[in-house]
Amino acid sequence: MSSPASEASRRRTFAIISHPDAGKTTLTEKFLLYGGALNAEAGSVKARSGRRSATSDWMGLEQQRGISITSTVLQFPYRDCVVNLLDTPGHRDFSEDTYRVLAAADAAVMVLDAAKGIEPQTLKLFDVCRQRELPLLTFINKWDRPGLDALELIDEIESKIDLVVTPVTWPVGIAGDFRGVIDRRDGQFTRFTRVARGATEAPEEVVDPTVAAVEEDEAWTAAQDELALLDSVGADMDVELFVGAQSTPTFFGSALTNFGVRKLLDAVIDLVPPPGPRPDVDGEPRSLDAPFSGFVFKVQANMDPSHRDRIAFLRVCSGEFDRGMVVTHGPTGKPFNTKYAHQVFGSERETIDLAYPGDVVGLVNATDVRVGDTLWFGDPVEYPSIPSFAPEHFTVARVRDTGRYKQFRRGIAQLDEEGVVQVFRDADLGDQAPMLAAVGPMQFDVAVYRLEQEFGAPVELSPTNYRIARRTDPPSAEALSGMRGVRVLSRADGTLMALFESQYWLERLEQDHPDLVLERLVAEGSAG
Ligand code: G4P
């Protein structure tokens, strides 16, 4: 039997981030195609996600909006490795969700549309990666279509995200006239061959440079000039800088026609670090071969109305996960039976019997389990919690029909636990009119939709003028409670939050009362 450490060395766990429409879904399909997890009919991911929406009520909202809110996990073999691909919601309003998913990833692939470069939502998502210091690979997609100049794109990425861009492949032919790519590591030229919508792997024809120079003529000369320029500025791939999240190895391609996908997937295997010993709350790394442990990075309820249950997604950090083992739920110390462990893709589930560090397990009916919780076996361990994002939108929710108040309360508590929105309560008003707080307003749409569809409790929202939240403590809360333009509320875990209408007002208060405790939350002000 292999050890957890040797199994971990075969794992690559990463996420794809992109602005909607840049090609995340297409690239995911193609990864599956190259991983042999899809038959030649690529497109099954879309077909599957279509089915998923059809069987799921609240995900109807995803269909209406054409966005992805839920995230899922895909596992497939590639070469001698096991790849865990964590899906992230594309819309920046759900960047807190992305942040949690990235807590479970060892790297990310950023997909850019060659015609658009860095788009606002990519920037927000990238900020999230930066906060987690995640190594980042960049894929410049849609090179088969007219787009920006390759060097300009590199410049734009460097200036907008402040990472050194180290192109690993370089295109021959401008965007829209894609001839192929030169691999800067060995100088090999791979010619681009168009396949109908990329239903099969792209044929890879390696062409001798002397032949390519003649056949590709001006496009070849232009690429050589650009490569000379890149060499002169030393934009070479450096694994250490990549792992240290200071540079991003960059690839050109076209996910639709599969071109460049294999090189990218190979880079995931060759460059992305395998899971390592994860530091606990005290910074002490837990050995991969220690008994089982993991932490929950996402909780999702009612993914499938016919199940009406609640799934906690756990990333395994150490040891072997054996379905059926009874583990301890860290925060409560209660035993937790893992009999119902699944691999989850939307509403589709497969029982998972064994898992190793880097893998993701979906634990069904995980009542009481929240995002950030540690589960362990044998030796106790506690992993750092996942910090919550600074909300920037605040609205008061009230149930429309007071006869549905019980359902409303239950629904609000559920959404709070899942982290769909953050819920702040006023000690005096109790649960009557909780304040919902979000990073992006679309989170409110999801909350309203779910309260109505799942809990039968239609609500009315009253927007407020609050824009900033700070964590505070009881003495400061007392001092603040009499002040103008501030409101102090509490979260379910007892944390006190002070809300302010403007940065100016907050700064004035800080100046006038320097002894007040007003702590920032993560991702403050990056909502751009
Ligand atoms: P997303 O998940 O990031 O939102 O993007 P998705 O993969 O759904 O791709 C968005 C659109 O871009 C799709 O077209 C897709 O076919 C197209 N696309 C993705 N990669 C490439 C590429 O490399 N080259 C070209 N030319 N197009 C690409 P659509 O018209 O919206 O959908 P569909 O009808 O083609 O499925």
Side-chain angles (χ1 to χ4, degrees):
M1 201 189 72
S2 48
S3 71
S6 70
E7 285 292 336
S9 68
R10 297 174 51 225
R11 291 326 195 251
R12 299 293 181 274
T13 303
F14 73 105
I16 303 182
I17 58 168
S18 78
H19 187 97
D21 268 354
K24 182 161 66 94
T25 314
T26 312
L27 185 64
T28 302
E29 283 169 11
K30 300 312 165 73
F31 276 163
L32 289 180
L33 175 72
Y34 279 79
L38 265 191
N39 52 26
E41 302 304 316
S44 299
V45 173
K46 278 212 164 134
R48 288 172 86 172
S49 58
R51 210 155 65 229
R52 183 181 65 183
S53 305
T55 57
S56 157
D57 52 5
W58 71 269
M59 276 184 262
L61 188 66
E62 293 188 324
Q63 270 189 325
Q64 280 171 22
R65 294 289 179 100
I67 51 163
S68 149
I69 300 166
T70 50
S71 45
T72 49
V73 183
L74 292 166
Q75 189 182 62
F76 59 92
Y78 183 68
R79 291 184 9 203
D80 51 358
C81 286
V82 176
V83 178
N84 292 307
L85 171 48
L86 312 179
D87 188 18
T88 56
H91 199 284
R92 75 163 191 203
D93 279 13
F94 302 103
S95 43
E96 180 162 23
D97 198 40
T98 300
Y99 184 79
R100 298 185 194 122
V101 171
L102 292 179
D106 294 320
V109 170
M110 173 167 76
V111 183
L112 301 180
D113 182 328
K116 304 205 170 122
I118 301 257
E119 297 175 81
Q121 284 157 50
T122 335
L123 203 54
K124 173 90 185 176
L125 294 169
F126 168 74
D127 270 339
V128 172
C129 281
R130 194 203 306 270
Q131 303 220 10
R132 300 223 67 94
E133 293 184 356
L134 270 191
L136 187 75
L137 294 165
T138 298
F139 186 66
I140 299 179
N141 190 28
K142 306 196 188 181
W143 203 255
D144 59 304
R145 270 202 335 208
L148 303 171
D149 174 74
L151 285 173
E152 267 172 34
L153 269 166
I154 302 293
D155 260 357
E156 190 196 325
I157 302 170
E158 285 201 337
S159 63
K160 287 200 171 151
I161 69 174
D162 197 22
L163 272 190
V164 178
V165 178
T166 56
V168 175
T169 63
W170 193 255
V172 175
I174 58 168
D177 181 25
F178 198 8
R179 312 287 182 89
V181 292
I182 294 172
D183 192 319
R184 292 183 66 220
R185 292 167 297 190
D186 55 15
Q188 219 175 48
F189 173 61
T190 310
R191 183 177 280 162
F192 170 63
T193 315
R194 191 175 277 278
V195 286
R197 284 192 69 86
T200 52
E201 294 182 14
E204 276 165 28
E205 187 195 357
V206 175
V207 181
D208 187 85
T210 49
V211 176
V214 176
E215 290 178 359
E216 309 302 343
D217 199 19
E218 278 172 23
W220 182 264
T221 319
Q224 291 301 328
D225 289 348
E226 289 161 347
L227 285 172
L229 198 74
L230 291 177
D231 289 344
S232 70
V233 298
D236 298 337
M237 210 231 341
D238 180 315
V239 177
E240 229 169 87
L241 290 182
F242 160 66
V243 173
Q246 297 184 25
S247 74
T248 178
T250 298
F251 298 79
F252 288 80
S254 152
L256 188 70
T257 57
N258 303 349
F259 200 78
V261 172
R262 184 184 298 283
K263 285 211 187 271
L264 181 64
L265 193 49
D266 281 335
V268 167
I269 302 295
D270 296 330
L271 301 178
V272 169
R278 197 166 192 96
D280 66 10
V281 272
D282 301 320
E284 194 65 39
R286 178 155 169 124
S287 152
L288 293 166
D289 281 331
F292 163 80
S293 69
F295 68 92
V296 172
F297 62 93
K298 183 174 176 68
V299 173
Q300 184 142 37
N302 308 326
M303 290 177 77
D304 183 338
S306 61
H307 291 295
R308 283 286 179 219
D309 52 16
R310 175 182 154 107
I311 298 186
F313 291 88
L314 171 136
R315 173 181 157 129
V316 181
C317 297
S318 69
E320 180 179 283
F321 172 86
D322 250 313
R323 187 170 67 86
M325 73 201 294
V326 178
V327 300
T328 301
H329 174 232
T332 57
K334 285 188 188 158
F336 183 92
N337 191 329
T338 62
K339 195 159 106 193
Y340 302 105
H342 286 88
Q343 217 166 19
V344 183
F345 186 92
S347 62
E348 294 180 20
R349 299 169 184 193
E350 261 171 55
T351 302
I352 189 166
D353 287 319
L354 277 180
Y356 295 98
D359 291 344
V360 170
V361 176
L363 299 167
V364 181
N365 273 338
T367 335
D368 290 342
V369 177
R370 286 168 173 258
V371 168
D373 288 358
T374 302
L375 289 117
W376 52 264
F377 182 79
D379 293 334
V381 59
E382 185 186 348
Y383 291 110
S385 60
I386 303 176
S388 30
F389 253 46
E392 292 164 21
H393 300 267
F394 303 86
T395 188
V396 175
R398 284 187 188 83
V399 68
R400 279 179 195 274
D401 170 2
T402 43
R404 308 293 297 168
Y405 179 61
K406 236 171 65 187
Q407 289 79 355
F408 171 71
R409 270 187 65 167
R410 242 201 11 247
I412 291 282
Q414 173 69 44
L415 299 183
D416 191 14
E417 281 180 20
E418 278 181 50
V420 171
V421 285
Q422 297 180 36
V423 179
F424 301 160
R425 291 180 178 80
D426 189 312
D428 299 329
L429 291 179
D431 285 336
Q432 299 276 354
M435 175 87 77
L436 309 186
V439 177
M442 225 189 266
Q443 284 175 262
F444 295 143
D445 296 353
V446 175
V448 169
Y449 188 87
R450 290 190 57 187
L451 284 167
E452 182 165 344
Q453 300 290 320
E454 273 172 41
F455 297 92
V459 291
E460 203 172 75
L461 298 183
S462 325
T464 72
N465 291 328
Y466 296 108
R467 290 287 168 269
I468 300 166
R470 287 280 191 273
R471 201 181 350 225
T472 186
D473 67 356
S476 306
E478 211 178 307
L480 286 165
S481 65
M483 295 183 196
R484 211 158 44 87
V486 193
R487 191 156 170 209
V488 180
L489 300 170
S490 60
R491 287 204 302 222
D493 63 2
T495 310
L496 291 169
M497 304 297 301
L499 310 189
F500 300 87
E501 290 185 4
S502 73
Q503 184 68 30
Y504 168 76
W505 194 242
L506 167 64
E507 282 169 12
R508 263 194 60 181
L509 268 178
E510 282 179 322
Q511 262 172 18
D512 295 347
H513 307 274
D515 45 334
L516 286 176
V517 173
L518 294 168
E519 288 171 11
R520 284 167 180 271
L521 300 154
V522 292
E524 180 91 36
S526 54

